[in-house]
Amino acid sequence: MNINPPSRDGALNSPWQYNFDNTPPKPAEMQSILDCLVVGGGITGLTAALLLQQAGKQTAIAEAHTIGFGTTGGTSAHINTFADTTYAEAESAFGEEGARLFARAIREGAELISNNVSTLNIDCDYESKTGYLYAEDEEQIKQLEEIYTAALKVGVPVNYTANVPTPVPFEKALAFEGQAQFDPIKYINGLKKAYIKAGGILFEHTLIEKVDSKIGMHEAHANKLLITAKAIIYATHMPPNISVFNFECAPYRSYVIAVKLKGGKYPDALIYDSQEPYHYVRTHRIDGEDLLLVGGLDHKTGHEDPEKAFAELEKYTKDYYAVSSVKYRWSSQYYIPADGLPYIGQMPLTADGIYCATGYNGNGMMLGSIAGRILADLVIANDTPYRQLFNPARIKPIDSFSEFVKENADVAYHFIADRFNVKKTDSLKRLAPGAGKLLEVDGKKIAAYKDEQGNIHALNPVCTHSGCIVAWNAEERSWDCPCHGARYDIEGNVLTGPATRNLKTITDDES
Ligand SMILES: Cc1cc2nc3c(=O)[nH]c(=O)nc-3n(C[C@H](O)[C@H](O)[C@H](O)COP(=O)(O)OP(=O)(O)OC[C@H]3O[C@@H](n4cnc5c(N)ncnc54)[C@H](O)[C@@H]3O)c2cc1C
């Protein structure tokens, strides 16, 4: 375990990041032309790169920070046979065959993980568990019944049960056998080891700023490095810079705490309620002691107060469990797709041979893994059974996903309002140490953070991706864009795409 873990894309530490493999990769040797460059070193990138390398393709991974820096280092790592987009919702938008294929993708993603764990002998706390989903009122019971019927229809085993290991009173519940949990960083460390052993090249601290395409060849630019490849995979969770996905995916923040209990049994299961936003609990043994992981309370990035979300999560946990201490608290970001299914395949409006995967909702362990396989299949054989279903260029009506419409309606508002007005104005003097705020000083908008020594870190608050105004996230000490989810640290450095350029410091801006 690392005492000082390498950083994630936020100030809070997840328990997984203490297991980051921080041995620096062998100095990467440039190949003249790669078969494929994989951009991004999370579960999607590592899965795709390993499969390609095992198939005899010469690949490199370019990761802006270090392996696991993104959401894979801040996930809660449940492996499920059901998904946030229910099979009933998938059927209503994509028909019965579409829902069946979606269920197959989820199952194959989960199987890919368990096969890797056993064939590569990865020690990552992988354990099979039963998953329980319960309803607390009439409306939730109706949803639960729909979930039950649609799951059976697509071949996912599920039963009603009266026994759920939860202290929360409930009305009706489902049991899904054969779910699982693991430590995501120990898992991708195992993929990385196998990838390097198979001859894979790894560039860390290498942010790909842009790609220029010539016939059948792509040149990826990173600071002073130029990487040439026959194919490019954006495994960046959200492809960088402006793309159609800025209008088809909404960025969400999600919260997790890991607590020690005074007494009582830690549940040997994965348990979910049906509230909106929902809560879940599971147990993970970390450093020799059981901890209860409690998560949820998701909201659109930059739209609600992260301090309030953590306070509510802690209160909810204490209402039902005898908590002796909170050992970890962290949050991270995921993307809700407009029509409910992920976008995996040839990237729209780019040259042939540039692929991407995004919009996994909260199911990126399975969908990121299957995306790795789909993208590898496209690079190797130009074929996959999922080509049409997950085609990133598909056009589907989005009105059945009212959550997406509701939450994304404000993007247009921010595009306009942010250019003219910073609502909160204040003076620099009133800024408390350790706090960040949007201020107006001498008629100029600034994103100001005062550190513990009283130094002001002043940035231009205009997001470099598409010009919205960033919002302060006091928990992760980051500036988060409410439009498309780009995030920056207190110095303005990009933490999370789609931005690839840092926020300007006020001095940069003035020069
Ligand atoms: C709190 C939370 C809990 C979750 N729980 C679950 C769960 O229980 N089960 C489940 O299935 N899913 C869950 N998810 C979703 C899941 O964690 C994610 O979908 C998944 O980790 C995404 O993996 P990824 O590899 O695609 O992206 P990431 O892990 O974000 O990796 C992308 C990488 O790309 C790098 N990058 C970005 N831009 C560039 C660039 N221009 N150049 C170079 N590198 C770049 C980033 O630094 C990053 O390391 C959860 C999500 C959250 C937020």
Side-chain angles (χ1 to χ4, degrees):
M1 192 184 98
N2 296 308
I3 306 297
N4 296 311
S7 56
R8 269 193 324 117
D9 61 2
L12 299 170
N13 288 344
S14 79
W16 327 125
Q17 86 196 76
Y18 291 85
N19 298 319
F20 275 140
D21 169 16
N22 57 0
T23 43
K26 245 183 11 194
E29 282 168 32
M30 259 320 285
Q31 301 282 319
S32 49
I33 296 172
L34 296 166
D35 292 313
C36 184
L37 172 68
V38 177
V39 186
I43 194 166
T44 307
L46 262 306
T47 307
L50 176 60
L51 287 167
L52 285 165
Q53 203 61 40
Q54 285 170 334
K57 299 285 179 192
Q58 182 58 64
T59 67
I61 298 174
E63 162 56 52
H65 300 271
T66 48
I67 292 297
F69 181 88
T71 302
T72 303
T75 186
S76 57
H78 300 66
I79 300 170
N80 301 109
T81 55
F82 58 98
D84 292 348
T85 296
T86 65
Y87 295 124
E89 287 169 333
E91 186 181 338
S92 94
F94 295 87
E96 204 175 317
E97 264 325 291
R100 256 181 220 288
L101 198 54
F102 179 47
R104 176 176 153 192
I106 293 275
R107 175 173 47 81
E108 288 187 350
E111 285 168 0
L112 188 52
I113 297 172
S114 72
N115 288 342
N116 277 336
V117 170
S118 52
T119 55
L120 301 172
N121 212 1
I122 304 176
D123 180 4
C124 60
D125 313 340
Y126 182 94
E127 284 183 83
S128 285
K129 303 270 171 187
T130 302
Y132 297 94
L133 176 65
Y134 62 81
E136 293 165 86
D137 60 31
E138 278 306 312
E139 201 184 320
Q140 293 176 15
I141 291 175
K142 213 169 135 242
Q143 280 167 18
L144 205 73
E145 288 168 351
E146 273 174 22
I147 289 171
Y148 173 81
T149 310
L152 288 181
K153 206 163 165 188
V154 296
V156 172
V158 60
N159 292 300
Y160 282 112
T161 180
N163 301 313
V164 181
T166 177
V168 181
F170 65 91
E171 297 288 330
K172 205 164 184 182
L174 298 177
F176 292 87
E177 301 297 331
Q179 316 300 292
Q181 64 179 50
F182 67 154
D183 177 322
I185 292 299
K186 287 184 182 170
Y187 173 69
I188 65 167
N189 283 347
L191 299 188
K192 173 182 151 186
K193 204 166 140 201
Y195 171 70
I196 300 289
K197 198 166 161 207
I201 300 168
L202 173 58
F203 297 98
E204 290 188 307
H205 306 288
T206 302
L207 180 132
I208 300 299
E209 288 157 12
K210 63 169 187 155
V211 169
D212 292 328
S213 300
K214 297 174 183 156
I215 301 153
M217 212 58 78
H218 310 281
E219 288 180 347
H221 300 258
N223 198 1
K224 290 182 186 129
L225 192 66
L226 183 72
I227 305 171
T228 309
K230 292 179 203 158
I232 304 273
I233 290 176
Y234 281 121
T236 47
H237 210 181
M238 172 54 62
N241 304 319
I242 299 284
S243 74
V244 293
F245 303 113
N246 301 151
F247 306 97
E248 290 177 338
C249 290
Y252 269 66
R253 284 212 80 71
S254 183
Y255 299 84
V256 196
I257 57 176
V259 302
K260 183 102 198 100
L261 300 182
K262 279 185 202 137
K265 261 184 89 183
Y266 288 83
D268 185 24
L270 313 179
I271 306 165
Y272 311 82
D273 71 18
S274 305
Q275 293 181 21
E276 184 61 56
Y278 80 145
H279 305 86
Y280 58 82
V281 302
R282 75 172 183 85
T283 304
H284 201 107
R285 198 162 181 78
I286 295 166
D287 295 333
E289 62 177 7
D290 280 340
L291 294 180
L292 187 73
L293 266 58
V294 186
L297 290 185
D298 310 2
H299 65 76
K300 201 177 163 219
T301 299
H303 283 63
E304 281 172 44
D305 180 3
E307 283 174 295
K308 195 167 146 253
F310 274 121
E312 279 178 23
L313 196 56
E314 212 171 306
K315 179 178 178 311
Y316 169 87
T317 310
K318 287 179 175 163
D319 283 348
Y320 294 109
Y321 297 90
V323 174
S324 73
S325 60
V326 178
K327 294 277 183 176
Y328 299 91
R329 56 213 292 278
W330 74 97
S331 67
S332 194
Q333 184 158 297
Y334 68 88
Y335 299 89
I336 296 192
D339 61 15
L341 293 195
Y343 301 98
I344 306 168
Q346 166 71 38
M347 178 142 160
L349 307 176
T350 64
D352 281 356
I354 299 188
Y355 303 98
C356 66
T358 187
Y360 302 152
N361 223 319
N363 306 116
M365 298 296 99
M366 298 75 71
L367 291 175
S369 301
I370 195 65
R373 176 181 287 161
I374 293 170
L375 298 175
D377 285 348
L378 287 171
V379 170
I380 296 163
N382 195 22
D383 205 13
T384 164
Y386 299 103
R387 182 194 288 276
Q388 212 186 328
L389 185 66
F390 296 149
N391 179 3
R394 69 180 182 262
I395 297 172
K396 276 268 156 197
I398 58 170
D399 52 7
S400 54
F401 290 86
S402 53
E403 192 179 13
F404 179 88
V405 175
K406 182 178 78 198
E407 298 288 3
N408 242 22
D410 68 310
V411 168
Y413 162 79
H414 277 284
F415 267 130
I416 298 160
D418 286 356
R419 283 164 174 75
F420 298 107
N421 183 27
V422 172
K423 279 191 232 118
K424 287 182 190 149
T425 59
D426 208 323
S427 86
L428 279 174
K429 276 191 202 134
R430 270 188 268 146
L431 196 57
K437 211 167 195 179
L438 288 175
L439 304 172
E440 202 154 306
V441 176
D442 296 337
K444 198 176 177 106
K445 299 166 191 173
I446 60 170
Y449 171 75
K450 191 186 262 183
D451 65 24
E452 301 299 335
Q453 287 70 43
N455 303 314
I456 300 284
H457 303 248
L459 301 167
N460 182 330
V462 178
C463 177
T464 62
H465 169 246
S466 71
C468 297
I469 298 290
V470 294
W472 176 240
N473 178 337
E475 290 288 350
E476 299 288 4
R477 262 188 281 137
S478 59
W479 294 102
D480 299 355
C481 179
C483 286
H484 307 110
R487 299 178 53 249
Y488 306 85
D489 69 15
I490 54 166
E491 308 296 349
N493 299 312
V494 174
L495 288 173
T496 307
T500 52
R501 284 171 297 126
N502 298 338
L503 287 183
K504 287 182 178 173
T505 63
I506 290 296
T507 346
D508 286 348
D509 210 22
E510 283 164 352
S511 61

